[in-house]
Amino acid sequence: MKTLKYFLIGVLLLSFSRPKAQVSVNVNIGNPPAWGPAGYTDARYYYLPDLETYYDVAGSNYIYLSNGKWIRTRSLPAAYRNYDLYDEYKVVLVDYRGNRPYADFKTHKVKYAKGYKGKPQKTIGQKPGRAKHGPHHDHEKGPDKAKGHGKH
């Protein structure tokens, strides 16, 4: 009888602790770069086809193959340092949750070959040097405004 009593107490305790285990968890994977594609807040990795490089949002670093080894660094390799990432197409790896996105590199390299362009993308931020346009400027159109002579 004591065993049954302890069993029931254990079941009762588990039933009370179970709702606590179902609390939703918000995973903060890091801040995506301004050149990252908009609309993918949960994605951890981007594959950059023209560079054959991955970007890890959580680690804020690039992952690329160098002399047969995968390297993680905060900046692109020297050959790509001046590459415009705002114009580069980014393949968002939405289904990958591990730490080695390059495990599927052979597939990515073929499926998303250099020059690959999928659906049109908008970046999260604006490319540096571009004029800022927004809905608050739309009502100000006119000959003086177009030339920059109007007040803003």
Side-chain angles (χ1 to χ4, degrees), residues 34-149:
W35 53 261
Y40 298 97
T41 56
D42 293 340
R44 179 172 174 188
Y45 296 104
Y46 309 144
Y47 177 64
L48 310 172
D50 288 350
L51 308 180
E52 295 181 344
T53 298
Y54 296 90
Y55 182 77
D56 180 352
V57 175
S60 299
N61 57 37
Y62 300 90
I63 307 167
Y64 60 89
L65 195 57
S66 177
N67 296 322
K69 292 183 181 179
W70 287 98
I71 308 294
R72 288 179 180 261
T73 64
R74 294 266 180 203
S75 57
L76 286 168
Y80 298 127
R81 294 258 162 86
N82 294 323
Y83 202 85
D84 186 355
L85 293 170
Y86 284 88
D87 292 333
E88 164 76 16
Y89 192 83
K90 281 72 73 177
V91 175
V92 181
L93 304 180
V94 292
D95 294 334
Y96 185 77
R97 297 288 181 242
N99 292 319
R100 298 176 39 185
Y102 48 84
D104 293 327
F105 177 65
K106 288 181 182 178
T107 302
H108 294 153
K109 186 175 177 176
V110 172
K111 188 173 181 180
Y112 311 112
K114 288 184 178 186
Y116 174 83
K117 301 285 184 218
K119 298 185 292 186
Q121 291 178 328
K122 290 184 179 182
T123 57
I124 294 167
Q126 246 178 10
K127 185 176 180 176
R130 283 190 182 165
K132 291 185 180 182
H133 297 287
H136 62 283
H137 293 293
D138 290 346
H139 68 280
E140 296 181 347
K141 290 184 179 172
D144 289 340
K145 309 297 191 241
K147 294 179 184 173
H149 299 292

